[in-house]
Amino acid sequence: MKRFVALLIAVVLMCSLCVSGVAANVVRTSQKLMVDGSYVNCEIYNIDGSNYFKLRDLAYILNGTGSQFAVGYNAATRTVTVETGADYVPNGSELVIGEDKSALAVPSTQTIWIDGAPNSGLSAYNIGGNNFFKLRDLGNAVGFEVDYDAATATMLVESREAAPKPAPVAGAVDCRRVTAEGITADVLTVDVKNPAVRVETSMVNNTVAARDSFANIVAQSGGAYAVITGNFMNGDSEGNYPIGHVMRNSELLYIGSGYSSFGITEAGEVHVGRPSIRVRVKPLDRSYNMWTAIGLNLKEHEQAAQGCVLYTPAFGDRFTVTGSGSVMVVSGGKVAEYRTAAPEDVVWIPADGYVLWLSDMYMRDWVYDFQSPRVGERVELEYFLYQPDEEGFTLDGVTQIFSGGPRLVKDGAAELYQEPQFSGDRFTPTYAASRTAVGVTADGKLIFISTDCATIPQLRAFMLSLGCVDAINLDGGASTGFYCNGVTYRTPGRLLATCVQIYVD
C-alpha cells in the first residue's frame, strides 16, 4: 500500500467545523479496526455511512509511529490544535468505551488548527462531549492510509514508518527514580554546560497570568525532552500571576523580588540568590534622566503602590490605568507618545514596544529634576539589580530566571530559615504533599525532582543526598507536573502558568 503524503494545509480564514444539517443516521458500529496489523478496540460511530473516531483515541493509537500527532485544546477560543509528528501526551480518557451516545451526536462547532493553520476540510461531530472525526478525513490531514476489508468488516489503518529518533548526547540528561531520606522521587539531572542542552523558562502563550493544561503545555513545547512545574502562582481571585521573577530567553516577563531564584546563563552557568531586579527606560541620545520602573507587568490595582510600572506585550495588548499619572508609549525603540492618563483610561501596548506608567507622585517626589520624555527620541530597556545580591547573583549573561521557595539548601548546608512568604500550613515541617524542587551540584549540574509525597524537611535532606549545594522548592501540590522523554509521570490537578522546559539537540 503506497505511503500517504500529507496534504498541505491552506492558510484560510478561521472557520468552525460544521456539517450541514443533523446526521440522518448515527449508530454505534460493530465494525472492527486494525492498525498496522493489530486489532484495536475503541469507540466507533457510523454516521451516514462513514466511520467516525474520537480524536484522542487515534492520537493514542498512532503514538510512536510516523503518523503520530499531538492534540491540544484552547477553551477560551474553542480551538482544537493538532501538531503532526509530535508526541501525544495521554490524559486517561483514551480507548474508554462507555454507553451508546448515538442520540447525542451533533455537528461540532469547534475550530481545528493543524500545524498552525486552520482546517475546514474535516467532518466532525460532538458526541457526548468528545469530538469524533471521519477516519478518511483524518488520514488525509495527518498522514496515514485507510482501507476497508468488506469480507471481515474491518477498517484497515496503516501508519507511516517512524523516523528514528536521535539518542540524547551522552551525559546531557539523566532521568531516574531514587529512594532516599524516606521519600521516592523522579530525579532529572541536566548538564547545562553541555552544548546540546537548552533550558527555558516558559509561560503559557508567553503571557503573564495565562494558563493551560499540562498536557497542552507539553504538546506545544516544541519537542521538549522534559517539562517541569515552575513558579508558584497567585490564586484565581488574584489572577494567577506568577510569584517571583520570570525571565525567558533574555526577556524579563515579570518582576517579583524577595524570592529565591535560579538564573541560567547562555554559557550554562547557574546563579542562585534573591536578586532585587528593576527595569529602566534609558535614553540613547543623552546621558541623564532614566525612568526606573519598580514593577513589571503587575496587576493593575498595584500601580499606585509601585508608583511606576512597565507593561510589555507579555501583559497583553492593553491595560487599565488605576491612578492619576502619565504614560510613555514606546514603539520600535522610540518614544511614540507621552501624555497624561486618568483612572479608567485604557492604554494599548504596542506589539513592538512597551508602555511605562508613571504616577504623579513618582514624577513629583521620586525623580529629582524630572524631565518629560521627548516624542521621537530613541530609548532602550535595561534590567539591573537595585542592590547587590548577598550571594553574588548577577544578571551578567543570564537568559532564564525562575523562582520558588522556601530555600532548601544554601552553600552546601540545610537552610532552616523559612521566608515569611512561605508560612502556610503546607510548608510546616510535618505537612506531606506532592513536591517539585530544583538544585545545583558543586560541578554545576541542575537537578530537578518530582515526588508524590514529601515534607519540606524530607525534601531538604533529599536534595542534600543528591549532592546539591543550593536548592529551592518550586510549586507543588495540585500544581505538580513532570514530563520526561515521552512519559508524563505526574499530571497537575489544575491549569498551570509557568514551567521549566529542557531541550536536548
Side-chain angles (χ1 to χ4, degrees), residues 1-4 144-148 156-158:
M1 187 179 293
K2 65 179 183 179
R3 300 294 179 188
F4 176 80
F144 58 84
E145 291 188 38
V146 178
D147 205 346
Y148 183 71
L156 305 173
V157 168
E158 184 179 349

Side-chain angles (χ1 to χ4, degrees), residues 170-406:
V173 291
D174 174 62
C175 188
R176 67 192 192 280
R177 183 157 290 184
V178 176
T179 298
E181 303 298 335
I183 66 173
T184 298
D186 293 293
V187 178
L188 175 66
T189 303
V190 182
D191 182 0
V192 284
K193 294 182 180 179
N194 191 313
V197 170
R198 179 163 44 96
V199 178
E200 286 189 7
T201 306
S202 74
M203 274 185 157
V204 172
N205 297 329
N206 220 31
T207 303
V208 174
R211 297 185 300 163
D212 205 346
S213 69
F214 190 65
N216 283 351
I217 292 171
V218 171
Q220 296 166 15
S221 67
Y225 180 84
V227 180
I228 307 106
T229 301
N231 290 48
F232 286 87
M233 57 185 177
N234 289 315
D236 292 333
S237 62
E238 298 180 74
N240 292 293
Y241 283 72
I243 295 176
H245 301 308
V246 181
M247 175 185 280
R248 179 180 184 272
N249 296 339
S250 301
E251 179 185 2
L252 197 59
L253 302 176
Y254 192 81
I255 288 177
S257 295
Y259 296 89
S260 295
S261 301
F262 266 51
I264 314 296
T265 72
E266 189 171 5
E269 297 174 340
V270 180
H271 296 190
V272 186
R274 299 178 66 185
S276 179
I277 303 177
R278 300 277 175 88
V279 58
R280 56 192 167 209
V281 181
K282 179 180 178 182
L284 294 179
D285 299 322
R286 50 178 164 145
S287 59
Y288 58 92
N289 209 76
M290 292 178 284
W291 303 281
T292 298
I294 299 174
L296 173 64
N297 293 324
L298 297 179
K299 297 183 285 290
E300 288 137 315
H301 70 77
E302 295 181 337
Q303 289 170 9
Q306 300 298 334
C308 185
V309 180
L310 185 78
Y311 289 97
T312 74
F315 184 84
D317 59 5
R318 76 198 82 171
F319 70 92
T320 300
V321 175
T322 59
S324 297
S326 300
V327 291
M328 179 203 310
V329 180
V330 176
S331 177
K334 295 182 179 180
V335 178
E337 182 182 11
Y338 178 69
R339 61 176 175 83
T340 59
E344 306 302 324
D345 282 357
V346 175
V347 181
W348 291 84
I349 303 170
D352 64 345
Y354 45 87
V355 178
L356 187 67
W357 176 82
L358 309 100
S359 70
D360 290 337
M361 179 184 66
Y362 173 90
M363 293 184 290
R364 183 185 65 244
D365 300 335
W366 292 10
V367 180
Y368 176 73
D369 192 23
F370 179 83
Q371 294 189 25
S372 299
R374 303 166 185 169
V375 173
E377 73 175 321
R378 298 183 306 133
V379 295
E380 66 177 3
L381 283 182
E382 184 177 72
Y383 312 135
F384 67 100
L385 295 185
Y386 178 65
Q387 54 191 13
D389 180 69
E390 66 172 18
E391 295 182 68
F393 188 114
T394 72
L395 295 176
D396 297 340
V398 171
T399 59
Q400 319 291 330
I401 300 178
F402 51 95
S403 305

Side-chain angles (χ1 to χ4, degrees), residues 6 49 117 126 160 358 373 430:
N126 186 290
R160 293 182 294 188
L358 309 100
T430 59

Side-chain angles (χ1 to χ4, degrees), residues 34-239:
M34 177 178 283
V35 179
D36 293 335
S38 299
Y39 284 104
V40 179
N41 192 26
C42 62
E43 197 168 18
I44 311 170
Y45 287 90
N46 188 287
I47 302 176
D48 289 344
S50 297
N51 289 308
Y52 285 70
F53 288 76
K54 190 189 301 180
L55 185 62
R56 286 191 173 274
D57 280 356
L58 284 172
Y60 182 84
I61 293 167
L62 293 169
N63 205 28
T65 73
S67 300
Q68 70 177 17
F69 59 93
V71 178
Y73 181 67
N74 188 319
T77 60
R78 292 178 54 79
T79 301
V80 178
T81 59
V82 169
E83 183 182 355
T84 60
D87 292 332
Y88 174 70
V89 181
N91 66 3
S93 67
E94 299 81 9
L95 305 186
V96 175
I97 302 176
E99 61 183 9
D100 189 343
K101 302 183 182 68
S102 301
L104 302 178
V106 295
S108 177
T109 59
Q110 292 178 350
T111 302
I112 186 166
W113 285 61
I114 299 181
D115 293 336
N119 188 292
S120 59
L122 297 179
S123 176
Y125 278 80
N126 186 290
I127 305 176
N130 292 302
N131 286 314
F132 284 73
F133 291 81
K134 188 185 294 185
L135 184 61
R136 289 189 183 274
D137 284 355
L138 276 175
N140 290 336
V142 303
F144 58 84
E145 291 188 38
V146 178
D147 205 346
Y148 183 71
D149 184 349
T152 60
T154 302
M155 291 161 281
L156 305 173
V157 168
E158 184 179 349
S159 68
R160 293 182 294 188
E161 185 177 352
K165 290 185 177 180
V169 176
V173 291
D174 174 62
C175 188
R176 67 192 192 280
R177 183 157 290 184
V178 176
T179 298
E181 303 298 335
I183 66 173
T184 298
D186 293 293
V187 178
L188 175 66
T189 303
V190 182
D191 182 0
V192 284
K193 294 182 180 179
N194 191 313
V197 170
R198 179 163 44 96
V199 178
E200 286 189 7
T201 306
S202 74
M203 274 185 157
V204 172
N205 297 329
N206 220 31
T207 303
V208 174
R211 297 185 300 163
D212 205 346
S213 69
F214 190 65
N216 283 351
I217 292 171
V218 171
Q220 296 166 15
S221 67
Y225 180 84
V227 180
I228 307 106
T229 301
N231 290 48
F232 286 87
M233 57 185 177
N234 289 315
D236 292 333
S237 62
E238 298 180 74

